[in-house]
Amino acid sequence: MMMDGVELCFPQVNSSCRRLKRPHSDTLLINSVLSFTSLLTATLNLLVIISISHFKQLHTSTNLLLLSLAVSDFFVGFIMFFQIFFINGCWLFGDIMCVLYIVLDYLITSVSIVTMVLISIDRYLAICDPLHYPIKVTPKRVKICVSLCWICSLFFTTALMNENLKQPGRYNACAGECMLVFNFIEQFADFILTFIIPITVITVLYMRVFVVALSQARAMRSHIAAVTLQRSEGVAAKKSEMKAARTLGVVVVVFLICLCPYFFFTLTGQDTLLHAPSAIFIMCLFYLNSCLNPIIYAFFYPWFRKSVKLIVTLQILKPGSCETKIL
């Protein structure tokens, strides 16, 4: 509704926020893209969740990490849908839902980042210490690490938003706004713990994996793997582990490409996050990563393509389908 040439979020409320003005075609395009991507993200990651959960042959240590990542990416699909209201400039669901939404957003982001660190550690041990990898990395230990990942992420998120949780909406300037404010210490801690440290760990580990994998490939081509690798690295990594390292390396690189612009942009100030066209692109890029992960699996993992076919054709409803050979 328009009042004196100004469109308000809640026309019946005197303290209502103003709705952001955009051409109707732009608004329609943005909403359509976000809605489609939201649905696609949730659907693709649900296929990953069902695949790894249902087929026993896929219950490996590495796949359990992919399962955790898929669960967090699945929730990103819902977050993307609510992002439409942020972009339009009006939050219509109240102060409590605003806080819960942002808590979920931070929680899922934190879980995704920590899971990426765990994936990097997993690939590092698989390639650089293949002899002890089956002993060090077991499904039970991975389950414990994944559980700790979610618990610690929840604890960190609630601690970070402690002041905002005490009185939801305390920082809103008008009705229809969803604003949370963090002090310098909270912002600094968030930046260090969810960006600097994880990105550094991921980069260092994958550089090490790349160097070791390259040295092993050269040694094998020159027919001296038995001498060189036993002296330098112990035992050559399995071919399947190398392929997994390449695939998950692509996942990590795409993750960094989508994540880094968002963190650099938020450092310039949160007030501009909803207004600049470049901000909308960066936010979409950040959330798009969750949609790209299953697509990467589809390109590089035959087991994912096969499991999707069985799911879509409802073959998984047959008795004993969980024992189907996928690998």
Side-chain angles (χ1 to χ4, degrees):
M1 182 178 293
M2 301 291 294
M3 299 186 66
D4 298 327
V6 176
E7 188 175 359
L8 302 177
C9 298
F10 299 98
Q12 70 277 13
V13 179
N14 293 331
S15 59
S16 174
C17 298
R18 297 182 178 184
R19 187 181 297 273
L20 296 180
K21 290 185 177 180
R22 287 194 183 92
H24 179 70
S25 58
D26 291 354
T27 301
L28 182 61
L29 176 62
I30 292 173
N31 292 350
S32 299
V33 170
L34 280 177
S35 299
F36 174 76
T37 308
S38 172
L39 179 61
L40 184 64
T41 299
T43 302
L44 292 178
N45 283 286
L46 184 59
L47 290 174
V48 177
I49 294 171
I50 296 174
S51 298
I52 298 177
S53 301
H54 181 74
F55 298 107
K56 291 184 178 181
Q57 200 174 18
L58 298 181
H59 293 179
T60 63
S61 300
T62 302
N63 285 347
L64 290 176
L65 296 176
L66 295 184
L67 176 62
S68 174
L69 185 62
V71 171
S72 63
D73 287 342
F74 174 77
F75 284 110
V76 169
F78 292 100
I79 292 175
M80 289 177 66
F81 176 77
F82 285 100
Q83 191 66 34
I84 294 174
F85 298 95
F86 273 113
I87 293 177
N88 290 337
C90 292
W91 180 259
L92 309 176
F93 304 103
D95 296 334
I96 296 179
M97 283 298 296
C98 167
V99 173
L100 292 177
Y101 164 80
I102 297 181
V103 167
L104 180 62
D105 191 5
Y106 270 75
L107 171 64
I108 295 307
T109 300
S110 178
V111 169
S112 297
I113 293 173
V114 176
T115 302
M116 282 296 180
V117 173
L118 293 177
I119 289 175
S120 300
I121 295 174
D122 174 76
R123 290 302 89 198
Y124 172 79
L125 293 174
I127 300 301
C128 300
D129 191 13
L131 182 63
H132 300 99
Y133 174 76
I135 302 174
K136 293 181 179 180
V137 183
T138 62
K140 182 178 180 179
R141 290 182 178 179
V142 171
K143 289 179 182 178
I144 294 174
C145 289
V146 169
S147 299
L148 289 175
C149 166
W150 283 84
I151 293 172
C152 292
S153 296
L154 179 61
F155 176 79
F156 170 75
T157 301
T158 53
L160 181 67
M161 299 187 178
N162 182 47
E163 292 299 320
N164 293 282
L165 289 171
K166 290 180 179 178
Q167 186 179 346
R170 62 187 297 185
Y171 299 110
N172 293 344
C174 53
E177 186 175 45
C178 181
M179 179 67 68
L180 271 69
V181 177
F182 304 101
N183 58 42
F184 175 78
I185 296 178
E186 291 170 338
Q187 288 182 327
F188 183 76
D190 180 42
F191 182 69
I192 294 298
L193 294 177
T194 62
F195 182 72
I196 296 297
I197 294 178
I199 298 305
T200 301
V201 172
I202 291 172
T203 303
V204 170
L205 289 180
Y206 254 93
M207 286 181 64
R208 177 60 176 164
V209 167
F210 176 77
V211 170
V212 171
L214 188 62
S215 67
Q216 290 181 356
R218 287 176 176 174
M220 292 171 67
R221 283 196 299 266
S222 60
H223 303 287
I224 59 172
V227 176
T228 305
L229 297 182
Q230 286 180 6
R231 183 169 59 245
S232 60
E233 300 297 339
V235 178
K238 295 180 180 179
K239 185 178 180 180
S240 60
E241 300 290 3
M242 299 285 286
K243 184 177 180 180
R246 289 196 300 269
T247 302
L248 296 177
V250 174
V251 172
V252 170
V253 170
V254 171
F255 175 78
L256 295 178
I257 293 174
C258 295
L259 184 77
C260 290
Y262 170 78
F263 274 98
F264 285 125
F265 185 80
T266 53
L267 285 178
T268 63
Q270 297 181 0
D271 293 338
T272 61
L273 196 59
L274 302 178
H275 303 280
S278 59
I280 297 176
F281 172 77
I282 290 174
M283 287 298 300
C284 291
L285 180 65
F286 178 77
Y287 290 121
L288 183 63
N289 174 72
S290 297
C291 183
L292 293 177
N293 287 338
I295 296 176
I296 294 173
Y297 304 154
F299 272 106
F300 290 93
Y301 284 140
W303 62 258
F304 181 61
R305 296 193 296 271
K306 185 175 181 180
S307 62
V308 168
K309 182 178 179 181
L310 294 174
I311 294 171
V312 173
T313 57
L314 302 181
Q315 298 287 325
I316 62 170
L317 299 180
K318 294 181 177 180
S321 61
C322 60
E323 303 290 345
T324 303
K325 291 185 178 180
I326 299 295
L327 299 176

